[in-house]
Amino acid sequence: MGYNHILLVDDNESIHEDIESILSNSVSKEDEELKGIEDELFGSSPNEQEKAGNIVNYEIDHAYQGMEAVEMVSEAYETGNPYALIFMDVRMPPGIDGIQTIKQIWEDYPYTEIVICTAYSDYSWDKIVSNLGSTDKLLFMKKPFDATALKQIALTLTTKWKLQQEAISYTEKLEKEVEERTSELNELVEKHKEMKNKAEKASAAKSVFLANMSHEIRTPMNGVIGMTDLLLETDLNKEQKELSRMAKRSGESLLRVINDILDFSKVEAGKMDIESVPFNIRDLVNEVVEMISLSSDKKGLSIEFTIDDDIPNRLLGDPTRLRQVLINYGSNAVKFTEKGNILFEADLLESAGSKQLIRLTVNDTGIGIAEEKQSTIFSSFSQADSSTTRKFGGTGLGLAICRQLAELMDGEVGLESKKGEGSSFYFTVPLEKVPSEKKTDSDIQNGEKGLESLDRSLRILVAEDNKVNQMVTTKMLESEGFTVDIVETGTEAVEQNEVNTYDLILMDIQMPEMDGYEATEKIRKIEKRTGGHIPILALTASAMEKDRDLCLQAGMDDYIAKPVDKQDLIATIKNVIERDFRLANK
């Protein structure tokens, strides 16, 4: 692109000669003076030709009528050599005048610099502004011309045009780069959306898979563990009892694996809820120690616990999750300790008003953990030594879940261990002290009445389509003296509840004809017309958090997941019956 391309537009040929002569490449005293002014205004030119002769070379074209000029400007742009400057006469009969010519040129090429050269005042300034709308690219020169002024104007305006074209080119380049980058970003955004959708679909598919697999495994597991429990209550010889206990422990180990995977999935999905209910930490630790002691009998380990006397009796927190962490710590202690003892400790670290910072620790005399392995022991799918997976089993998720649960309760986990000398696993958790409450005589009387009401023989309707689970549940309930009726569909459960009087319904969820949700909703609708309320306890292999919520939304009073421990089942039934009794007597 020629930055010194000039067009002279005038109907007088002598004007063309005068301007071209002034801008020609001849050296004069005026040229040297002009060069000094140029250097002062713009700095020394880098152009070697200018350095040598102090002269700017212009490429000059000529037009003698307005329309001719318009056509030449258009052709110059099309050929890639546009005009940097136009000297424009005003009067050019018989065609369009200079102002009309400028207006047409600027319509298509608005950046063109133009100098109006005239000896007459054909247009007032206001009229020019009215016709052209813009004057920032317009200068006036009166004829006859001053040579120095003409050269200075030519140099100034061609330089201005050059800088303007470079700015336009740079802007276009930037716009292109921005457009390309925007296009790349849009592609990345679309890919991100696509990946996000795929991840969400994969997560949903994983949840569905886990829910289905959990249900399908828990249903037969309920039969395996339940039947084993019932078998252990029969008259067995020593060897038979030992084999039965081993079968039960194997079933419970499989159940722990299932629970670990489900819990890990819940925490990952942000669906693990933390409760805040009153509980007694002494009872909680004692209960865990009793459970751990059962699994440590064969090894002959000594299981003990100590509770700090300063810990309040009643605290607010999530006893279920605290128990889960302690059981995990305790189970690992038994698993990795061949001889010696296991000690559970509960200590009060800080007490400020109602806020209590508790540390729960499980110490063992087991195999210990090498120092370099300790930093990853609470990570997912991690164990101190890969050989322990083969020797001791486990998913490698238990301690990761402990860490996640502690963090959800605003606590933290940690350990101290030495290879071959045992380990101390601990977690700290902030809890609230519950103000002491005095029971009134009416509370005591109502409680006693509620407990007395549980001593009578209960008639329970069990809605369950699986034959093995029917037998397991029936045997568990009948061993407590309850009367049991069995139905296999939700439809039958609704019908039987209308014609018989029951104290409780154990409702499976997945049944043919009508599921447990719909059956419960129908029973609750009937009760709105007839009055009364029968406690309904969900007994299901669907163990995801949403399943519990769906059960409660359908109108069930509580939820227990398969496989069911007999003691847990009886305790839950008693809680539901007692709660219903108290509500009815308010």
Side-chain angles (χ1 to χ4, degrees):
M1 179 183 289
Y3 292 116
N4 298 326
H5 198 189
I6 294 177
L7 176 62
L8 307 180
V9 186
D10 200 302
D11 61 339
N12 187 339
E13 190 168 347
S14 64
I15 297 297
H16 288 260
E17 294 173 355
D18 290 344
I19 295 176
E20 187 167 10
S21 175
I22 292 170
L23 298 178
S24 65
N25 200 13
S26 59
V27 180
S28 64
K29 183 178 179 181
E30 289 81 2
D31 292 329
E32 293 176 356
E33 292 176 354
L34 178 60
K35 177 59 182 172
I37 296 172
E38 292 171 10
D39 290 344
E40 186 176 346
L41 288 172
F42 305 108
S44 300
S45 171
N47 186 284
E48 293 299 326
Q49 191 174 7
E50 290 182 36
K51 286 182 181 179
N54 294 326
I55 294 298
V56 179
N57 290 321
Y58 295 104
E59 180 185 352
I60 300 174
D61 291 339
H62 305 272
Y64 299 91
Q65 294 294 329
M67 286 307 301
E68 181 185 8
V70 172
E71 292 171 359
M72 290 180 68
V73 170
S74 177
E75 183 179 352
Y77 267 95
E78 289 176 1
T79 57
N81 188 26
Y83 293 108
L85 174 63
I86 299 176
F87 287 96
M88 181 73 69
D89 188 22
V90 175
R91 290 185 176 183
M92 292 180 291
I96 60 175
D97 62 26
I99 302 301
Q100 293 169 320
T101 304
I102 293 171
K103 187 174 182 179
Q104 287 196 33
I105 291 172
W106 277 356
E107 283 179 359
D108 294 324
Y109 311 104
Y111 298 108
T112 307
E113 301 290 338
I114 297 179
V115 177
I116 293 179
C117 304
T118 180
Y120 307 98
S121 299
D122 301 299
Y123 286 86
S124 68
W125 182 253
D126 290 339
K127 193 173 181 181
I128 290 174
V129 172
S130 175
N131 273 272
L132 299 180
S134 173
T135 58
D136 61 323
K137 296 178 290 299
L138 192 64
L139 284 177
F140 273 88
M141 286 195 70
K142 291 286 187 178
K143 297 176 181 178
F145 306 123
D146 177 80
T148 301
L150 182 67
K151 283 187 175 184
Q152 185 176 358
I153 287 173
L155 176 62
T156 300
L157 294 183
T158 53
T159 302
K160 175 186 173 184
W161 187 85
K162 172 185 176 182
L163 294 174
Q164 188 178 60
Q165 295 305 303
E166 290 175 348
I168 291 171
S169 176
Y170 183 69
T171 301
E172 289 175 348
K173 180 182 177 183
L174 282 179
E175 289 176 348
K176 185 178 180 181
E177 289 178 356
V178 169
E179 184 179 345
E180 290 174 353
R181 184 59 179 157
T182 301
S183 177
E184 291 175 3
L185 288 174
N186 287 335
E187 288 181 9
L188 287 174
V189 169
E190 290 302 316
K191 287 181 179 178
H192 174 74
K193 287 181 180 178
E194 184 180 348
M195 292 173 65
K196 182 173 178 288
N197 290 335
K198 286 182 178 178
E200 288 175 348
K201 289 179 180 177
S203 178
K206 182 184 76 171
S207 296
V208 171
F209 172 78
L210 285 174
N212 290 338
M213 290 305 298
S214 172
H215 183 275
E216 293 306 312
I217 294 173
R218 284 174 181 275
T219 298
M221 281 301 300
N222 189 58
V224 171
I225 296 176
M227 286 295 188
T228 306
D229 278 333
L230 295 174
L231 182 61
L232 286 168
E233 292 179 2
T234 64
D235 187 17
L236 302 175
N237 61 40
K238 185 177 179 181
E239 182 181 4
Q240 290 170 333
K241 282 187 177 181
E242 180 60 24
L243 293 174
S244 298
R245 288 195 186 99
M246 289 175 65
K248 183 181 178 181
R249 283 197 292 268
S250 297
E252 290 172 341
S253 296
L254 177 57
L255 183 59
R256 279 195 295 271
V257 171
I258 298 168
N259 289 337
D260 279 352
I261 294 171
L262 287 177
D263 283 343
F264 186 75
S265 178
K266 286 179 187 176
V267 175
E268 271 196 328
K271 295 181 178 179
M272 178 71 78
D273 294 325
I274 299 299
E275 291 184 320
S276 182
V277 297
F279 72 99
N280 187 306
I281 200 165
R282 289 169 174 79
D283 292 342
L284 185 146
V285 174
N286 185 61
E287 178 187 339
V288 172
V289 169
E290 286 182 359
M291 293 176 63
I292 297 300
S293 296
L294 291 174
S295 62
S296 66
D297 284 347
K298 187 176 179 180
K299 288 187 171 183
L301 301 173
S302 170
I303 312 292
E304 299 176 350
F305 70 92
T306 62
I307 308 291
D308 191 333
D309 292 335
D310 293 329
I311 296 178
N313 286 328
R314 286 167 60 78
L315 294 166
L316 278 177
D318 192 330
T320 301
R321 299 307 173 191
L322 292 173
R323 185 184 298 109
Q324 185 174 351
V325 176
L326 276 179
I327 289 174
N328 207 308
Y329 279 0
S331 297
N332 281 346
V334 171
K335 182 191 298 184
F336 297 110
T337 303
E338 294 300 326
K339 60 181 180 178
N341 60 79
I342 294 169
L343 174 63
F344 288 76
E345 294 179 299
D347 297 296
L348 179 63
L349 298 183
E350 294 178 17
S351 178
S354 65
K355 297 186 180 301
Q356 311 291 304
L357 183 62
I358 308 296
R359 181 175 64 193
L360 297 166
T361 309
V362 178
N363 307 283
D364 66 61
T365 55
I367 61 176
I369 301 168
E371 186 175 352
E372 64 271 16
K373 300 291 185 179
Q374 293 179 17
S375 60
T376 61
I377 199 69
F378 286 99
S379 301
S380 305
F381 307 104
S382 175
Q383 290 189 341
D385 186 342
S386 60
S387 64
T388 62
T389 303
R390 294 190 298 271
K391 183 176 180 181
F392 298 101
T395 61
L397 287 175
L399 292 178
I401 293 170
C402 290
R403 174 181 58 81
Q404 292 167 333
L405 290 176
E407 290 173 355
L408 286 172
M409 292 184 284
D410 297 323
E412 58 182 24
V413 297
L415 80 152
E416 297 174 1
S417 184
K418 191 171 182 181
K419 187 74 172 176
E421 296 184 12
S423 304
S424 293
F425 281 83
Y426 64 86
F427 69 98
T428 60
V429 59
L431 301 171
E432 292 278 339
K433 182 166 64 174
V434 180
S436 58
E437 299 175 357
K438 292 183 178 180
K439 291 185 177 181
T440 65
D441 292 339
S442 60
D443 289 333
I444 296 171
Q445 290 173 3
N446 287 337
E448 290 174 352
K449 289 179 181 177
L451 292 173
E452 287 174 2
S453 69
L454 295 176
D455 292 336
R456 64 186 174 86
S457 295
L458 298 178
R459 187 174 184 185
I460 298 176
L461 177 65
V462 177
E464 168 67 68
D465 63 318
N466 184 280
K467 297 293 185 183
V468 175
N469 287 330
Q470 287 176 5
M471 185 181 300
V472 170
T473 306
T474 299
K475 293 289 187 183
M476 286 182 177
L477 297 175
E478 287 180 344
S479 68
E480 293 293 312
F482 303 143
T483 301
V484 180
D485 290 342
I486 298 289
V487 293
E488 296 189 356
T489 69
T491 304
E492 293 175 353
V494 175
E495 292 172 351
Q496 286 296 310
N497 185 59
E498 286 191 87
V499 299
N500 295 306
T501 300
Y502 292 103
D503 299 291
L504 176 81
I505 297 177
L506 284 177
M507 185 76 74
D508 188 26
I509 300 301
Q510 294 189 16
M511 294 183 290
E513 295 182 17
M514 181 188 296
D515 63 28
Y517 300 129
E518 188 179 352
T520 301
E521 289 170 354
K522 284 186 177 295
I523 290 171
R524 296 303 183 218
K525 285 181 181 179
I526 293 170
E527 288 176 343
K528 285 182 180 180
R529 298 195 309 268
T530 62
H533 177 88
I534 182 169
I536 300 178
L537 174 61
L539 183 61
T540 175
S542 301
M544 304 296 280
E545 188 67 24
K546 65 176 183 178
D547 298 314
R548 182 180 185 278
D549 294 339
L550 289 172
C551 289
L552 298 179
Q553 289 169 16
M556 299 182 190
D557 296 88
D558 211 334
Y559 165 100
I560 187 166
K562 298 174 183 174
V564 180
D565 177 79
K566 179 182 174 182
Q567 291 182 348
D568 288 343
L569 175 61
I570 302 306
T572 306
I573 288 174
K574 288 183 177 181
N575 288 337
V576 170
I577 295 291
E578 184 177 341
R579 189 191 314 151
D580 185 67
F581 176 84
R582 287 176 175 169
L583 289 173
N585 287 274
K586 270 191 174 182

